Every structure is written in structure tokens, then in C-alpha cells.
Amino acid sequence: MSYANLYETPGPRGIRRNRALAAGVALVLLLVAYVVYVRFDAKEQWAAEKWTPLLRGDVWATFILPGLAGTLGAAVAGVVLAGLFGLVFATARLSDHRWIRVPAAAVVEFFRSVPLLLLIFFAFFGSYVLIGANISAFAAVVFGLTLYNGSVIAEIIRAGVQSLPRGQAEAAHAIGMRKGQVMRLVLLPQAFRAMMPAIVSQFVVLLKDSALGLIVGYDELVDRGLNGIAANFSNVIPAAILIAAIFILINLSLDRLAHRLGATRLAATR
């Protein structure tokens, strides 16, 4: 399939207009950057004593690396469990049996609608009422990440399966496959290839959402790397810039992975 005719190549006037818009946007961004720099400089936020602690090994060992480990630990657990949750409930929502499909749809829509922060908060503070014991902050964060992102992933997978041509399932049934085999061997593999970039993008969201563990005192990157450093060195702006840069690097890597998966799928379909 060719995608060349999905857009019109701009002519000379369009090229000049696009260049002018790009130059205007770049100028505005440079102006904003200059204003931010001047305001921060007036408050001595660029002073060496505020940035020097961020280069110290003991600061990284005490605050940044433990916080990063906490963030990645919650994210990895959330990715695995949310993926399983999404797969199970996407399959349930595609069931021919109403008694399976309707409850699964209710669960997915409920947890997609509830803010993640409330899920984490409820898991941490409501666990004693429900089970008679307080769960850890890590468990509360993973609980929220799993239910919220798993519900979104369930919808992504369901949409991927439903976007496939009906002839795929009909051909599989025609050669004697049962419905479970059709779903497992034919539809889900194709849906995963189609929707993998969207799923990876949701995992990027999950990684960033792990910062909400701050509300229950979970030792993650924002809590340890931002609050911990700022409390000891009074450099909240430099610490925030460093933590933001770390998140950006991680998310750019995941975004690059999503683009590669999308490019690989596009090449495979040609």
C-alpha cells in the first residue's frame, strides 16, 4: 500500500508559508527560553553552588539512583501486570458470551474512568479496611498502575482485533479452528503487531504515572531525586531540571522503540 497520496506536496507558496511559520515558532521559543533564563538568573538559579551537588557521586548514590530504581521497579511490575490484565480483559470483552463480555466491559470502563491517583490512594489507605492489613507503598502504586493502564491496554488490544478483516477469522474457522485457537493463533498475534506502537506509548505513560507514588510516600525518582535533594541543598529548580531530563531520556528511548516497531510493521506489510 502506498501512502504517498495521503497528503499533498506543498508548492512554492506552501513551502514559503511553512518556513515562515517554523521561523516564527522558533523565534517565540527562543524568546520564552530567554525570559526563563533571565528570570532564573535573577533568582540565582544558575549559581554554581546550586548545580555542583548534582555532580557529586554521593548525591547520586543517596537520592537519584535509589529513586530511579524505585521508579523502574514500579514501572516494570506495572508493565507486566497491566499487559496481562489488558490481554485477559480484551479477550473477555471479545467473547461471544454476554455473561463474560458485559462484566469485563464494566470493569474496564470503571477503571479507565477513575483517576489513577485515587486508585493508588484507595489501595494504600483502604487496604486495612478491606483485608485488615496495610499494603506497602510499592504494592499500592503497582495496583493503581495495573488497573488503570491495563484497562487502557485492553481497549487498545480490542480495537486492534476488531480492526482486522473479518476474513481472517472466517478463514481460520473454515479450516477447523475453534474460537479460542482463532483468537490465540490468528487474531491476537496480528493485533499485537498492529497495536504495539500504541501499547508501548501507553507504557511510556505508565512510567511517568509512577511519579504519583509520591502521594503515598513511595521512594521513586521525583520523591527521592527532587524532594530529597532540594531539602538538603535548597536547589529545587536545578534538581527538577535534572529529574525532568532523566525522564525525558527514558521516555525518548521508549518512544524510539515504538517508532521502530511501527516502521517494522509497515515494512512487513509491503
Side-chain angles (χ1 to χ4, degrees):
M1 178 179 179
S2 175
Y3 293 88
N5 57 353
L6 294 181
Y7 66 94
E8 182 179 353
T9 303
R13 179 180 296 180
I15 292 175
R16 289 194 298 269
R17 182 176 62 250
N18 292 341
R19 288 176 177 175
L21 289 174
V25 171
L27 183 61
V28 171
L29 292 177
L30 287 174
L31 179 61
V32 171
Y34 175 75
V35 171
V36 170
Y37 176 83
V38 171
R39 294 294 180 87
F40 280 9
D41 187 57
K43 298 296 183 180
E44 299 183 347
Q45 292 299 321
W46 306 121
E49 60 268 18
K50 292 185 178 294
W51 290 87
T52 302
L54 303 181
L55 303 177
R56 287 167 42 179
D58 60 324
V59 171
W60 279 77
T62 304
F63 299 107
I64 298 175
L65 294 180
L68 181 59
T71 291
L72 295 179
V76 170
V79 164
V80 173
L81 295 177
L84 293 174
F85 182 99
L87 178 60
V88 170
F89 278 86
T91 304
R93 290 206 65 179
L94 293 167
S95 174
D96 292 333
H97 303 291
R98 183 180 177 84
W99 62 274
I100 296 177
R101 186 175 65 252
V102 173
V107 170
V108 169
E109 293 302 326
F110 176 79
F111 287 116
R112 275 208 311 161
S113 302
V114 177
L116 174 58
L117 185 63
L118 288 182
L119 291 176
I120 296 174
F121 190 87
F122 177 78
F124 188 74
F125 293 102
S127 58
Y128 184 81
V129 177
L130 292 177
I131 62 176
N134 291 317
I135 65 174
S136 65
F138 173 80
V141 172
V142 172
F143 174 86
L145 293 175
T146 297
L147 296 183
Y148 179 78
N149 292 281
S151 298
V152 176
I153 291 172
E155 286 299 282
I156 293 174
I157 297 175
R158 184 174 72 94
V161 171
Q162 291 182 333
S163 69
L164 297 175
R166 295 186 59 181
Q168 299 282 342
E170 293 173 354
H173 285 300
I175 61 175
M177 284 189 177
R178 296 189 297 271
K179 181 174 176 58
Q181 293 177 312
V182 173
M183 182 65 67
R184 186 177 70 255
L185 301 177
V186 178
L187 299 182
L188 282 179
Q190 295 185 70
F192 276 127
R193 286 195 297 270
M195 305 306 295
M196 187 56 69
I199 292 175
V200 173
S201 297
Q202 188 60 37
F203 289 158
V204 171
V205 174
L206 185 152
L207 174 68
K208 293 186 292 185
D209 285 346
S210 65
L212 294 175
L214 178 69
I215 191 64
V216 294
Y218 179 60
D219 286 337
E220 44 78 41
L221 187 56
V222 174
D223 185 33
R224 294 294 295 272
L226 178 58
N227 293 340
I229 293 175
N232 285 271
F233 302 100
S234 300
N235 58 347
V236 62
I237 297 299
I241 292 174
L242 174 62
I243 299 308
I246 293 174
F247 270 108
I248 289 171
L249 288 175
I250 297 173
N251 290 331
L252 283 177
S253 299
L254 292 175
D255 187 62
R256 180 69 62 85
L257 174 61
H259 281 295
R260 286 187 177 182
L261 290 172
T264 299
R265 176 185 173 270
L266 180 60
T269 57
R270 289 179 176 176

